[in-house]
Amino acid sequence: MNKTVTVNIGGIVFHIDENAYERFKQYLESIRVHFVGSDGRDEIMQDIESRIAEMFQERIKDLKQVITISDVEEVTAIMGKPEEFGDEESKEKEVDASEIKVKRRLFRNSDDKLLGGVCSGISEYFNLDPIWIRLAFAAAFFLGGSGFLLYLILWIIIPKAVTTADKLQMKGEPITVSNIEKNVQEEMEHLKKKFSGENQNRRDGNILTRIFEAIGQVIRLIFKFIGKLIAVFFIFIGLIVVFVMFASLLAIFKVPGTHYPEVLNQIFPSGFQFGFALLAIMLVIGIPFLMLAYFGARVVFNINKSSRIFNISALGVWLAAVCVCFVLGISIAKDFSEKQSIRKEIDLVQPSSKSIHLKLNKSREDEKDYNLWDEDEWDGDLRLSLKDNVLQSKDIKLDIVESNSDSFELVQVCYARGASKKLAAEHATHISYSFNQLDSVLTFEPYFEIDKSEKYRAQKMQLILRVPKGGKVYLDNSLRGFIYDIKNVSNILDHDMLKHHWEMRENGFNCLDCDGSESTIETGKIDIGNDDGSHVQINQNGVYIQGANDEVVSIDSNGVSIHKNGRTKTIKKGDFHFHINEGKK
């Protein structure tokens, strides 16, 4: 068991083995002694420590957090030892060993610039003469003006080579002690010449350069300001969403001032599962927005380094929450996998006048519009409410058909889902529905109830009123949205069947007091679109059908036109005959 030492190398904290620390300390001391009389010694040592810190970081992994003596030996071998600096053969071996890991990076070269060092930086990256890059930008400028804009954009987004390590990476040279020393000394010589006046007339000091540098600085400030605004927006949105998620979590514990739809609790088998699922959903949604706010805060407050522990922890919690949602989702989906229905014949008191008045009990609340009943077109609206700890649902539809007897009859069909057909049928039997009949007036309730011990399992109900031949029915306006697809001789749409008297005859359900202004399938408009891109439209002009593969069939007064694969075939009206069955939609 070895002791570890905590050290700061190049501004980064490392845990290093005690023996490795002693070896590393001796190495740095020998380099300091070697450069004791050199110009720019402090800058050389700072660059060397920064490069060593980068290489140490590459050797730290999740299961390895301590720098060992072997790591120190590898790094010092790459950087080179002081006794080898004057040995050309050793330096050549040092460069050969290091070039494998060197990656050339794109920087702006401030040491050889006309404006911002973009062209010379690109030339260093591609190992070209900068004159060719400058000529290309000049040609782009004079041919369309795009060269100037492109140069400014590159000036903004390409970082400037500031440190010695940056300049060596820009040139594709290995970052070793020898190369760092060489680069620093070259910079010192350049500064001496500049301050002695020898470089006074160099092109990097002219007025044009300063003007463009000022323009570049202004553009950078503008983009930086816009970036700060976006970051503030990220913080605002992230914190708002996180606050809403947190309030939702407090609602589980019924904290005063918080609330969530109680009806959601009726989907899960137990309150514990519901709370666990809600917590997981909040984390799945909230963590990405929290990270968005964290990213915005880093930009606003110029925090360059993110917390690795925070990032890993957030990712781990988010993945765990996703797994919980997936497992619970599979469990709930299983409870909806099978469907079953049960039918119940309900005896009605036969009205003395052989006429019945249908209406809906609207005393509690108005019924909202209901679009589609068909299972394949279910819109996902649960239409549920929880009153006095009783689950209520408005998923009810009324249909009217011809009776096989001489009596009015009512059939109640209850639908439900479950993990098996047996369980689905059991759920359907727990549906409770009531209506009121007073002689010829039949009043339906707008909702049915589910036992409070039951959970929501897609329960819904359909009422079928069987009318004998000669029987009459009046449809009250309160039934709007309650009746569904009642077939009739005139093909009148459901909403225009209301407020009229109807009679069941041999040919079907007939309107007794319609004036012809009612909407029908022929005069109305039916417009149906599917997810695969197919489309059907029926109106007074004809029928228009578009398939998923853009094939089109249109039927109108001129005939039938079929368009497919760029070709059109037309069948004129006189070449075919239509046959319409009365009473069919």
Side-chain angles (χ1 to χ4, degrees):
M1 182 179 295
N2 296 329
K3 294 182 179 180
T4 59
V5 180
T6 301
V7 295
N8 188 315
I9 305 173
I12 302 174
V13 176
F14 293 95
H15 300 290
I16 184 170
D17 182 86
E18 186 177 31
N19 296 331
Y21 173 72
E22 292 297 330
R23 181 73 59 86
F24 177 65
K25 184 178 178 181
Q26 294 173 6
Y27 175 73
L28 286 183
E29 188 61 32
S30 63
I31 292 179
R32 286 193 184 93
V33 172
H34 178 79
F35 292 116
V36 68
S38 302
D39 293 334
R41 181 188 65 175
D42 293 338
E43 186 177 350
I44 292 173
M45 292 304 301
Q46 182 178 355
D47 289 334
I48 290 173
E49 287 191 19
S50 297
R51 177 54 182 163
I52 290 174
E54 290 177 4
M55 289 192 287
F56 278 167
Q57 276 189 310
E58 294 173 358
R59 285 158 174 77
I60 293 178
K61 300 178 182 179
D62 293 336
L63 300 178
K64 179 188 176 185
Q65 298 294 325
V66 178
I67 301 299
T68 63
I69 192 169
S70 61
D71 296 327
V72 173
E73 290 176 350
E74 289 179 10
V75 169
T76 54
I78 293 174
M79 295 297 294
K81 298 178 181 179
E83 59 268 21
E84 298 174 347
F85 294 165
D87 188 349
E88 293 297 330
E89 182 179 352
S90 298
K91 286 199 293 183
E92 186 176 339
K93 290 181 180 178
E94 170 192 319
V95 172
D96 292 340
S98 306
E99 281 181 344
I100 300 175
K101 297 182 180 181
V102 173
K103 291 184 179 179
R104 192 186 294 261
R105 290 187 59 191
L106 181 60
F107 290 97
R108 288 187 291 112
N109 186 4
S110 58
D111 295 334
D112 181 19
K113 66 178 182 178
L114 284 176
L115 295 176
V118 173
C119 294
S120 57
I122 295 175
S123 66
E124 289 285 0
Y125 185 80
F126 291 104
N127 198 22
L128 299 172
D129 193 319
I131 188 64
W132 300 111
I133 308 297
R134 288 166 180 154
L135 286 174
F137 274 97
F141 174 76
F142 287 109
L143 292 178
S146 59
F148 177 72
L149 179 61
L150 177 61
Y151 190 92
L152 288 179
I153 294 174
L154 293 177
W155 196 345
I156 294 169
I157 64 176
I158 297 177
K160 179 181 178 181
V162 179
T163 65
T164 303
D166 291 343
K167 294 175 181 179
L168 291 174
Q169 282 187 305
M170 178 180 66
K171 297 176 182 179
E173 297 180 3
I175 307 173
T176 61
V177 174
S178 298
N179 286 337
I180 291 174
E181 176 191 11
K182 177 183 175 183
N183 193 279
V184 171
Q185 289 178 350
E186 288 176 355
E187 288 184 0
M188 296 296 295
E189 290 294 327
H190 175 72
L191 289 174
K192 286 180 181 180
K193 291 179 181 180
K194 184 174 182 179
F195 285 109
S196 65
E198 295 181 23
N199 201 35
Q200 195 171 21
N201 295 321
R202 285 179 58 92
R203 55 181 173 267
D204 60 345
N206 57 41
I207 296 176
L208 185 62
T209 299
R210 294 179 181 179
I211 291 174
F212 278 103
E213 284 181 347
I215 294 173
Q217 289 294 333
V218 171
I219 294 174
R220 282 196 192 93
L221 288 174
I222 293 173
F223 274 89
K224 190 174 182 180
F225 177 73
I226 294 174
K228 297 283 187 182
L229 286 181
I230 295 174
V232 170
F233 176 75
F234 284 171
I235 294 174
F236 177 75
I237 294 297
L239 292 180
I240 288 293
V241 174
V242 170
F243 174 78
V244 172
M245 299 296 103
F246 181 71
S248 300
L249 292 179
L250 293 179
I252 299 178
F253 303 100
K254 301 186 182 299
V255 176
T258 61
H259 173 74
Y260 68 87
E262 289 284 346
V263 72
L264 296 177
N265 197 17
Q266 300 300 315
I267 299 176
F268 292 86
S270 66
F272 173 78
Q273 281 193 2
F274 169 68
F276 204 47
L278 187 61
L279 173 62
I281 292 171
M282 297 304 107
L283 290 174
V284 169
I285 298 174
I287 287 178
F289 282 95
L290 178 62
M291 298 303 295
L292 188 68
Y294 174 61
F295 172 77
R298 285 179 52 202
V299 173
V300 170
F301 298 106
N302 296 320
I303 303 174
N304 295 323
K305 188 177 180 181
S306 63
S307 172
R308 185 178 181 186
I309 296 177
F310 179 76
N311 293 338
I312 294 176
S313 300
L315 178 61
V317 173
W318 186 82
L319 290 176
V322 169
C323 292
V324 170
C325 289
F326 180 77
V327 172
L328 290 178
I330 292 295
S331 175
I332 296 300
K334 184 179 179 181
D335 286 342
F336 287 79
S337 59
E338 298 290 342
K339 60 181 178 180
Q340 190 60 277
S341 64
I342 61 170
R343 299 171 67 90
K344 182 180 179 182
E345 302 281 345
I346 302 175
D347 295 330
L348 295 177
V349 177
Q350 299 304 310
S352 56
S353 61
K354 207 174 183 181
S355 175
I356 196 165
H357 183 111
L358 303 181
K359 68 177 184 177
L360 196 66
N361 183 2
K362 304 285 283 186
S363 60
R364 294 197 178 185
E365 57 181 327
D366 291 333
E367 177 82 353
K368 74 173 184 178
D369 289 338
Y370 191 102
N371 294 323
L372 295 171
W373 171 258
D374 186 69
E375 180 79 20
D376 295 332
E377 298 171 338
W378 191 256
D379 60 3
D381 185 2
L382 300 182
R383 297 169 58 81
L384 297 173
S385 61
L386 195 64
K387 294 183 180 179
D388 301 327
N389 292 324
V390 176
L391 189 64
Q392 299 176 346
S393 173
K394 292 183 178 180
D395 289 342
I396 309 175
K397 287 298 157 187
L398 172 65
D399 193 11
I400 299 176
V401 298
E402 182 181 345
S403 175
N404 294 324
S405 66
D406 58 354
S407 303
F408 287 94
E409 301 169 344
L410 185 64
V411 180
Q412 178 180 308
V413 184
C414 299
Y415 302 86
R417 287 182 171 270
S420 64
K421 289 189 177 296
K422 181 180 179 181
L423 287 175
E426 184 178 343
H427 293 318
T429 59
H430 292 158
I431 293 176
S432 176
Y433 182 71
S434 63
F435 64 93
N436 181 53
Q437 184 181 7
L438 184 60
D439 191 26
S440 63
V441 179
L442 191 59
T443 304
F444 297 101
E445 290 293 334
Y447 58 84
F448 62 84
E449 295 183 348
I450 304 172
D451 293 351
K452 59 183 179 181
S453 60
E454 277 288 302
K455 297 297 180 179
Y456 174 74
R457 291 299 177 263
Q459 291 93 336
K460 56 184 179 180
M461 192 173 70
Q462 187 166 18
L463 298 172
I464 304 171
L465 179 65
R466 295 174 179 169
V467 179
K469 290 178 183 178
K472 298 177 182 179
V473 177
Y474 177 78
L475 299 176
D476 189 82
N477 191 52
S478 61
L479 294 171
R480 182 178 297 271
F482 193 76
I483 61 174
Y484 178 73
D485 196 22
I486 298 178
K487 294 183 179 181
N488 58 87
V489 173
S490 303
N491 287 327
I492 296 175
L493 300 180
D494 288 338
H495 61 86
D496 274 350
M497 294 181 68
L498 304 176
K499 298 189 291 185
H500 290 295
H501 292 84
W502 296 81
E503 183 179 9
M504 187 64 71
R505 298 176 181 173
E506 287 287 344
N507 63 341
F509 208 36
N510 285 263
C511 183
L512 300 179
D513 52 4
C514 295
D515 57 10
S517 63
E518 295 78 15
S519 299
T520 67
I521 290 182
E522 286 78 12
T523 60
K525 178 181 177 181
I526 299 177
D527 200 340
I528 303 172
N530 297 320
D531 294 337
D532 60 0
S534 59
H535 190 75
V536 178
Q537 187 180 91
I538 303 174
N539 54 39
Q540 63 270 22
N541 297 320
V543 180
Y544 177 87
I545 306 171
Q546 179 176 339
N549 297 320
D550 292 330
E551 60 270 21
V552 175
V553 177
S554 61
I555 305 172
D556 53 26
S557 58
N558 297 320
V560 179
S561 295
I562 304 172
H563 181 81
K564 185 176 181 181
N565 298 330
R567 291 180 156 186
T568 301
K569 182 178 180 180
T570 302
I571 304 174
K572 295 182 178 180
K573 183 177 180 181
D575 296 336
F576 65 95
H577 300 280
F578 283 115
H579 178 72
I580 300 177
N581 291 325
E582 292 294 329
K584 299 293 183 180
K585 290 188 179 180

